[in-house]
Amino acid sequence: MPNNVEVDKATLRQRVWNALDAAEAVREPARDSIPDFHGSHEAAELLAQLPEWRTASVVKAVPDTAQEPVRVIALREGRLVYMAVPRLALPHPFFVLDPAELPSPAEAAANRRTAAAVAPTTDVGEMRPVDLIVLGSVAADRSGARIGKGAGYSDLEYALLAEAGLVGPGTVIATTVHQLQLVDSVPTTDHDVYMDLVITPTEVIRCPPRPRPAGILWDHLTEAKIHSIPALMDRRLRHGRTT
C-alpha cells in the first residue's frame, strides 16, 4: 500500500492539476502530466537572464513540452543539451543535442519528437559534467522541494549522473512552473532532489542549499521499475546487485 508521503503527494498533484485546469492556465488538460503552462516562454527567458545560466556550458533537461522553451534558448545560445529519453526506456538514456552538429535549427531540435528522430543517444559514461539541470514539475515550494507526475524519472536521472560523478553540490538545479504550481509545502522522501531555483513567469525564487542523493537508492526501487529501465539493469548486473 502507498505510504502517507505518497498519498500526500498524490493529493497535492490532483489539487494543482485541478487549479490549473480551472484557471485555464494550461494548453492541454493538466491531469497526469507535467503541465504545459501558459507563461512557459516567459519563465524560460527569466531563467536565461540569471548568472547561473550564463556560466553553464552543459545543460541536462527533461523532455517535457513545458520546458521546451528552455531547450530552445540553450541550443540557440550554443549550449550542449542532454535531454532524457522519455521513461529512460533506451539502453543509452540521454539524447545528445549538440547545436554544432544538429541538422535542424534550435526551435525544431528542441522539440522532443524531432530530437528523438535526429539526435544520437548516449550512456552516462560518455557524457560531460553537467553545469545546470532543468526539471519539469507538477508542484514546487520555496524551500526547493518539488514533485513530478509520480514516476520518479527525474530523481533517477540525477542519481545516475551523481553515481558517475557528473553532477554534485555545485550543479545548479532549476524548474520552471506556473504561479499556481507554487505551493506552501511539498512532501518529500530521501530520493527526492531539491531545486536551487524555482522560476515562474514573473518571479525567480532562490532556494536554500539542501543535501542531495549521492547515487541510486536501490531499496527505494521496485523490481518492476528496475526491469523497465535498461540503464538500471545494466548497472545492477555490472555491480553484482541482486536487489
Side-chain angles (χ1 to χ4, degrees), residues 200-221:
T200 78
T202 59
E203 185 178 10
V204 174
I205 300 163
R206 294 186 175 277
C207 309
R210 302 290 291 268
R212 295 173 178 173
I216 300 166
L217 301 180
W218 292 94
D219 59 345
H220 286 223
L221 300 171

Side-chain angles (χ1 to χ4, degrees), residues 19-41:
L20 289 166
D21 286 340
E24 298 183 348
V26 284
R27 297 178 180 87
E28 300 287 342
R31 183 179 174 85
D32 297 329
S33 74
I34 298 297
D36 184 16
F37 61 95
H38 294 299
S40 60
H41 290 81

Side-chain angles (χ1 to χ4, degrees), residues 106-140:
E107 288 75 9
N111 178 274
R112 59 185 177 184
R113 292 180 180 83
T114 303
V118 303
T121 59
T122 186
D123 191 16
V124 173
E126 300 170 347
M127 293 171 65
R128 289 169 51 186
V130 174
D131 302 309
L132 189 145
I133 294 173
V134 180
L135 299 183
S137 301
V138 172

Side-chain angles (χ1 to χ4, degrees), residues 60 86-88 150-158 225 228-229:
K60 200 285 288 183
R87 299 180 177 272
L88 300 174
Y153 291 109
S154 289
D155 298 321
L156 280 172
E157 290 158 21
Y158 181 88
K225 175 68 76 174
S228 72
I229 299 175

